[in-house]
PDB file of all heavy atoms in Angstrom:
ATOM      1  N   SER J  24      36.277   1.594 -41.424  1.00  0.00           N
ATOM      2  CA  SER J  24      35.629   2.281 -40.297  1.00  0.00           C
ATOM      3  C   SER J  24      34.582   3.273 -40.781  1.00  0.00           C
ATOM      4  O   SER J  24      33.570   3.497 -40.111  1.00  0.00           O
ATOM      5  CB  SER J  24      36.676   2.995 -39.432  1.00  0.00           C
ATOM      6  OG  SER J  24      37.348   3.986 -40.182  1.00  0.00           O
ATOM      7  N   ASN J  25      34.809   3.878 -41.950  1.00  0.00           N
ATOM      8  CA  ASN J  25      33.836   4.819 -42.504  1.00  0.00           C
ATOM      9  C   ASN J  25      32.533   4.118 -42.837  1.00  0.00           C
ATOM     10  O   ASN J  25      31.439   4.642 -42.565  1.00  0.00           O
ATOM     11  CB  ASN J  25      34.393   5.491 -43.756  1.00  0.00           C
ATOM     12  CG  ASN J  25      35.463   6.521 -43.440  1.00  0.00           C
ATOM     13  OD1 ASN J  25      35.439   7.143 -42.381  1.00  0.00           O
ATOM     14  ND2 ASN J  25      36.414   6.701 -44.331  1.00  0.00           N
ATOM     15  N   VAL J  26      32.630   2.944 -43.438  1.00  0.00           N
ATOM     16  CA  VAL J  26      31.429   2.184 -43.779  1.00  0.00           C
ATOM     17  C   VAL J  26      30.689   1.783 -42.503  1.00  0.00           C
ATOM     18  O   VAL J  26      29.459   1.886 -42.417  1.00  0.00           O
ATOM     19  CB  VAL J  26      31.791   0.935 -44.612  1.00  0.00           C
ATOM     20  CG1 VAL J  26      30.559   0.049 -44.818  1.00  0.00           C
ATOM     21  CG2 VAL J  26      32.384   1.330 -45.951  1.00  0.00           C
ATOM     22  N   ARG J  27      31.421   1.339 -41.496  1.00  0.00           N
ATOM     23  CA  ARG J  27      30.788   0.939 -40.230  1.00  0.00           C
ATOM     24  C   ARG J  27      30.066   2.113 -39.579  1.00  0.00           C
ATOM     25  O   ARG J  27      28.946   1.966 -39.065  1.00  0.00           O
ATOM     26  CB  ARG J  27      31.838   0.374 -39.257  1.00  0.00           C
ATOM     27  CG  ARG J  27      32.519  -0.885 -39.744  1.00  0.00           C
ATOM     28  CD  ARG J  27      33.237  -1.608 -38.606  1.00  0.00           C
ATOM     29  NE  ARG J  27      34.257  -0.803 -37.958  1.00  0.00           N
ATOM     30  CZ  ARG J  27      35.530  -0.742 -38.335  1.00  0.00           C
ATOM     31  NH1 ARG J  27      35.934  -1.427 -39.394  1.00  0.00           N
ATOM     32  NH2 ARG J  27      36.396   0.000 -37.675  1.00  0.00           N
ATOM     33  N   THR J  28      30.700   3.273 -39.620  1.00  0.00           N
ATOM     34  CA  THR J  28      30.092   4.468 -39.016  1.00  0.00           C
ATOM     35  C   THR J  28      28.806   4.847 -39.730  1.00  0.00           C
ATOM     36  O   THR J  28      27.792   5.177 -39.093  1.00  0.00           O
ATOM     37  CB  THR J  28      31.081   5.648 -39.048  1.00  0.00           C
ATOM     38  OG1 THR J  28      32.252   5.301 -38.315  1.00  0.00           O
ATOM     39  CG2 THR J  28      30.464   6.901 -38.453  1.00  0.00           C
ATOM     40  N   ILE J  29      28.838   4.804 -41.058  1.00  0.00           N
ATOM     41  CA  ILE J  29      27.653   5.138 -41.850  1.00  0.00           C
ATOM     42  C   ILE J  29      26.512   4.171 -41.532  1.00  0.00           C
ATOM     43  O   ILE J  29      25.363   4.576 -41.344  1.00  0.00           O
ATOM     44  CB  ILE J  29      27.991   5.107 -43.354  1.00  0.00           C
ATOM     45  CG1 ILE J  29      28.949   6.249 -43.701  1.00  0.00           C
ATOM     46  CG2 ILE J  29      26.721   5.212 -44.196  1.00  0.00           C
ATOM     47  CD1 ILE J  29      29.547   6.158 -45.091  1.00  0.00           C
ATOM     48  N   ALA J  30      26.830   2.882 -41.462  1.00  0.00           N
ATOM     49  CA  ALA J  30      25.808   1.876 -41.180  1.00  0.00           C
ATOM     50  C   ALA J  30      25.179   2.106 -39.810  1.00  0.00           C
ATOM     51  O   ALA J  30      23.950   2.007 -39.639  1.00  0.00           O
ATOM     52  CB  ALA J  30      26.418   0.484 -41.264  1.00  0.00           C
ATOM     53  N   ARG J  31      25.999   2.425 -38.824  1.00  0.00           N
ATOM     54  CA  ARG J  31      25.484   2.698 -37.471  1.00  0.00           C
ATOM     55  C   ARG J  31      24.527   3.890 -37.487  1.00  0.00           C
ATOM     56  O   ARG J  31      23.474   3.862 -36.845  1.00  0.00           O
ATOM     57  CB  ARG J  31      26.634   2.989 -36.505  1.00  0.00           C
ATOM     58  CG  ARG J  31      27.356   1.754 -36.004  1.00  0.00           C
ATOM     59  CD  ARG J  31      28.574   2.168 -35.184  1.00  0.00           C
ATOM     60  NE  ARG J  31      28.190   2.995 -34.060  1.00  0.00           N
ATOM     61  CZ  ARG J  31      28.094   2.549 -32.809  1.00  0.00           C
ATOM     62  NH1 ARG J  31      28.346   1.281 -32.538  1.00  0.00           N
ATOM     63  NH2 ARG J  31      27.746   3.357 -31.835  1.00  0.00           N
ATOM     64  N   ARG J  32      24.884   4.930 -38.221  1.00  0.00           N
ATOM     65  CA  ARG J  32      24.037   6.122 -38.284  1.00  0.00           C
ATOM     66  C   ARG J  32      22.688   5.800 -38.929  1.00  0.00           C
ATOM     67  O   ARG J  32      21.638   6.252 -38.466  1.00  0.00           O
ATOM     68  CB  ARG J  32      24.745   7.218 -39.074  1.00  0.00           C
ATOM     69  CG  ARG J  32      25.922   7.846 -38.336  1.00  0.00           C
ATOM     70  CD  ARG J  32      26.661   8.807 -39.235  1.00  0.00           C
ATOM     71  NE  ARG J  32      27.814   9.413 -38.557  1.00  0.00           N
ATOM     72  CZ  ARG J  32      28.744  10.106 -39.193  1.00  0.00           C
ATOM     73  NH1 ARG J  32      28.676  10.299 -40.507  1.00  0.00           N
ATOM     74  NH2 ARG J  32      29.762  10.625 -38.519  1.00  0.00           N
ATOM     75  N   LEU J  33      22.729   5.016 -39.990  1.00  0.00           N
ATOM     76  CA  LEU J  33      21.486   4.661 -40.685  1.00  0.00           C
ATOM     77  C   LEU J  33      20.573   3.824 -39.790  1.00  0.00           C
ATOM     78  O   LEU J  33      19.358   4.038 -39.741  1.00  0.00           O
ATOM     79  CB  LEU J  33      21.812   3.879 -41.966  1.00  0.00           C
ATOM     80  CG  LEU J  33      22.464   4.672 -43.097  1.00  0.00           C
ATOM     81  CD1 LEU J  33      22.836   3.743 -44.239  1.00  0.00           C
ATOM     82  CD2 LEU J  33      21.531   5.771 -43.595  1.00  0.00           C
ATOM     83  N   LEU J  34      21.165   2.878 -39.075  1.00  0.00           N
ATOM     84  CA  LEU J  34      20.368   2.033 -38.199  1.00  0.00           C
ATOM     85  C   LEU J  34      19.804   2.818 -37.018  1.00  0.00           C
ATOM     86  O   LEU J  34      18.686   2.568 -36.571  1.00  0.00           O
ATOM     87  CB  LEU J  34      21.216   0.858 -37.693  1.00  0.00           C
ATOM     88  CG  LEU J  34      21.576  -0.177 -38.767  1.00  0.00           C
ATOM     89  CD1 LEU J  34      22.664  -1.108 -38.267  1.00  0.00           C
ATOM     90  CD2 LEU J  34      20.350  -0.975 -39.185  1.00  0.00           C
ATOM     91  N   THR J  35      20.574   3.777 -36.541  1.00  0.00           N
ATOM     92  CA  THR J  35      20.093   4.630 -35.448  1.00  0.00           C
ATOM     93  C   THR J  35      18.878   5.428 -35.896  1.00  0.00           C
ATOM     94  O   THR J  35      17.902   5.580 -35.148  1.00  0.00           O
ATOM     95  CB  THR J  35      21.216   5.585 -34.981  1.00  0.00           C
ATOM     96  OG1 THR J  35      22.340   4.819 -34.540  1.00  0.00           O
ATOM     97  CG2 THR J  35      20.741   6.464 -33.842  1.00  0.00           C
ATOM     98  N   LYS J  36      18.921   5.909 -37.130  1.00  0.00           N
ATOM     99  CA  LYS J  36      17.777   6.663 -37.666  1.00  0.00           C
ATOM    100  C   LYS J  36      16.552   5.769 -37.857  1.00  0.00           C
ATOM    101  O   LYS J  36      15.423   6.200 -37.663  1.00  0.00           O
ATOM    102  CB  LYS J  36      18.161   7.306 -38.998  1.00  0.00           C
ATOM    103  CG  LYS J  36      19.071   8.516 -38.858  1.00  0.00           C
ATOM    104  CD  LYS J  36      19.308   9.183 -40.194  1.00  0.00           C
ATOM    105  CE  LYS J  36      20.173  10.436 -40.032  1.00  0.00           C
ATOM    106  NZ  LYS J  36      20.401  11.117 -41.334  1.00  0.00           N
ATOM    107  N   ARG J  37      16.797   4.531 -38.256  1.00  0.00           N
ATOM    108  CA  ARG J  37      15.670   3.613 -38.460  1.00  0.00           C
ATOM    109  C   ARG J  37      14.981   3.272 -37.138  1.00  0.00           C
ATOM    110  O   ARG J  37      13.793   3.005 -37.100  1.00  0.00           O
ATOM    111  CB  ARG J  37      16.142   2.338 -39.141  1.00  0.00           C
ATOM    112  CG  ARG J  37      16.502   2.539 -40.609  1.00  0.00           C
ATOM    113  CD  ARG J  37      16.609   1.228 -41.337  1.00  0.00           C
ATOM    114  NE  ARG J  37      16.784   1.424 -42.767  1.00  0.00           N
ATOM    115  CZ  ARG J  37      16.695   0.450 -43.669  1.00  0.00           C
ATOM    116  NH1 ARG J  37      16.434  -0.780 -43.281  1.00  0.00           N
ATOM    117  NH2 ARG J  37      16.862   0.706 -44.955  1.00  0.00           N
ATOM    118  N   GLY J  38      15.738   3.245 -36.069  1.00  0.00           N
ATOM    119  CA  GLY J  38      15.168   3.014 -34.748  1.00  0.00           C
ATOM    120  C   GLY J  38      15.115   1.561 -34.340  1.00  0.00           C
ATOM    121  O   GLY J  38      15.334   0.651 -35.135  1.00  0.00           O
ATOM    122  N   SER J  39      14.784   1.353 -33.065  1.00  0.00           N
ATOM    123  CA  SER J  39      14.866   0.017 -32.480  1.00  0.00           C
ATOM    124  C   SER J  39      13.839  -0.955 -33.050  1.00  0.00           C
ATOM    125  O   SER J  39      14.123  -2.143 -33.195  1.00  0.00           O
ATOM    126  CB  SER J  39      14.703   0.107 -30.968  1.00  0.00           C
ATOM    127  OG  SER J  39      13.423   0.621 -30.636  1.00  0.00           O
ATOM    128  N   LYS J  40      12.633  -0.483 -33.364  1.00  0.00           N
ATOM    129  CA  LYS J  40      11.588  -1.389 -33.837  1.00  0.00           C
ATOM    130  C   LYS J  40      12.001  -2.123 -35.109  1.00  0.00           C
ATOM    131  O   LYS J  40      11.658  -3.291 -35.302  1.00  0.00           O
ATOM    132  CB  LYS J  40      10.289  -0.618 -34.063  1.00  0.00           C
ATOM    133  CG  LYS J  40       9.633  -0.152 -32.772  1.00  0.00           C
ATOM    134  CD  LYS J  40       8.310   0.538 -33.043  1.00  0.00           C
ATOM    135  CE  LYS J  40       7.656   0.974 -31.740  1.00  0.00           C
ATOM    136  NZ  LYS J  40       6.354   1.666 -31.981  1.00  0.00           N
ATOM    137  N   ALA J  41      12.726  -1.431 -35.961  1.00  0.00           N
ATOM    138  CA  ALA J  41      13.125  -2.039 -37.232  1.00  0.00           C
ATOM    139  C   ALA J  41      14.346  -2.936 -37.097  1.00  0.00           C
ATOM    140  O   ALA J  41      14.556  -3.834 -37.907  1.00  0.00           O
ATOM    141  CB  ALA J  41      13.404  -0.934 -38.261  1.00  0.00           C
ATOM    142  N   CYS J  42      15.152  -2.686 -36.039  1.00  0.00           N
ATOM    143  CA  CYS J  42      16.478  -3.319 -35.985  1.00  0.00           C
ATOM    144  C   CYS J  42      16.699  -4.325 -34.870  1.00  0.00           C
ATOM    145  O   CYS J  42      17.569  -5.195 -34.995  1.00  0.00           O
ATOM    146  CB  CYS J  42      17.552  -2.233 -35.853  1.00  0.00           C
ATOM    147  SG  CYS J  42      17.441  -0.897 -37.035  1.00  0.00           S
ATOM    148  N   THR J  43      15.945  -4.240 -33.778  1.00  0.00           N
ATOM    149  CA  THR J  43      16.290  -4.976 -32.564  1.00  0.00           C
ATOM    150  C   THR J  43      16.511  -6.470 -32.780  1.00  0.00           C
ATOM    151  O   THR J  43      17.556  -7.021 -32.409  1.00  0.00           O
ATOM    152  CB  THR J  43      15.209  -4.770 -31.487  1.00  0.00           C
ATOM    153  OG1 THR J  43      15.246  -3.404 -31.069  1.00  0.00           O
ATOM    154  CG2 THR J  43      15.480  -5.646 -30.274  1.00  0.00           C
ATOM    155  N   SER J  44      15.535  -7.151 -33.363  1.00  0.00           N
ATOM    156  CA  SER J  44      15.639  -8.607 -33.490  1.00  0.00           C
ATOM    157  C   SER J  44      16.825  -9.024 -34.346  1.00  0.00           C
ATOM    158  O   SER J  44      17.486 -10.035 -34.071  1.00  0.00           O
ATOM    159  CB  SER J  44      14.349  -9.187 -34.064  1.00  0.00           C
ATOM    160  OG  SER J  44      14.111  -8.674 -35.369  1.00  0.00           O
ATOM    161  N   ILE J  45      17.124  -8.233 -35.375  1.00  0.00           N
ATOM    162  CA  ILE J  45      18.257  -8.551 -36.257  1.00  0.00           C
ATOM    163  C   ILE J  45      19.574  -8.296 -35.537  1.00  0.00           C
ATOM    164  O   ILE J  45      20.523  -9.074 -35.653  1.00  0.00           O
ATOM    165  CB  ILE J  45      18.170  -7.726 -37.560  1.00  0.00           C
ATOM    166  CG1 ILE J  45      16.896  -8.097 -38.307  1.00  0.00           C
ATOM    167  CG2 ILE J  45      19.391  -7.954 -38.440  1.00  0.00           C
ATOM    168  CD1 ILE J  45      16.563  -7.196 -39.453  1.00  0.00           C
ATOM    169  N   LEU J  46      19.630  -7.230 -34.752  1.00  0.00           N
ATOM    170  CA  LEU J  46      20.847  -6.933 -33.998  1.00  0.00           C
ATOM    171  C   LEU J  46      21.131  -8.010 -32.953  1.00  0.00           C
ATOM    172  O   LEU J  46      22.281  -8.405 -32.751  1.00  0.00           O
ATOM    173  CB  LEU J  46      20.717  -5.565 -33.318  1.00  0.00           C
ATOM    174  CG  LEU J  46      20.742  -4.342 -34.234  1.00  0.00           C
ATOM    175  CD1 LEU J  46      20.371  -3.088 -33.453  1.00  0.00           C
ATOM    176  CD2 LEU J  46      22.108  -4.170 -34.891  1.00  0.00           C
ATOM    177  N   VAL J  47      20.076  -8.482 -32.286  1.00  0.00           N
ATOM    178  CA  VAL J  47      20.247  -9.529 -31.269  1.00  0.00           C
ATOM    179  C   VAL J  47      20.914 -10.756 -31.876  1.00  0.00           C
ATOM    180  O   VAL J  47      21.770 -11.398 -31.252  1.00  0.00           O
ATOM    181  CB  VAL J  47      18.891  -9.905 -30.640  1.00  0.00           C
ATOM    182  CG1 VAL J  47      19.014 -11.181 -29.803  1.00  0.00           C
ATOM    183  CG2 VAL J  47      18.379  -8.765 -29.764  1.00  0.00           C
ATOM    184  N   ALA J  48      20.559 -11.064 -33.103  1.00  0.00           N
ATOM    185  CA  ALA J  48      21.115 -12.245 -33.770  1.00  0.00           C
ATOM    186  C   ALA J  48      22.601 -12.118 -34.063  1.00  0.00           C
ATOM    187  O   ALA J  48      23.266 -13.107 -34.372  1.00  0.00           O
ATOM    188  CB  ALA J  48      20.355 -12.510 -35.066  1.00  0.00           C
TER     189      ALA J  48
END
C-alpha cells in the first residue's frame, strides 16, 4: 500500500496531460 500511495502522489504531481492516456489503458 505504501508503494501504491507513493505512485499515486507522483502521478498527481505530473498531472493529467502526462498520464491520462496511459491511465485509460
Side-chain angles (χ1 to χ4, degrees):
S24 62
N25 287 330
V26 173
R27 297 196 301 271
T28 300
I29 292 169
R31 281 173 59 102
R32 288 174 181 168
L33 290 175
L34 291 167
T35 301
K36 285 185 177 181
R37 288 195 173 191
S39 63
K40 290 183 179 180
C42 310
T43 293
S44 62
I45 298 169
L46 290 170
V47 168

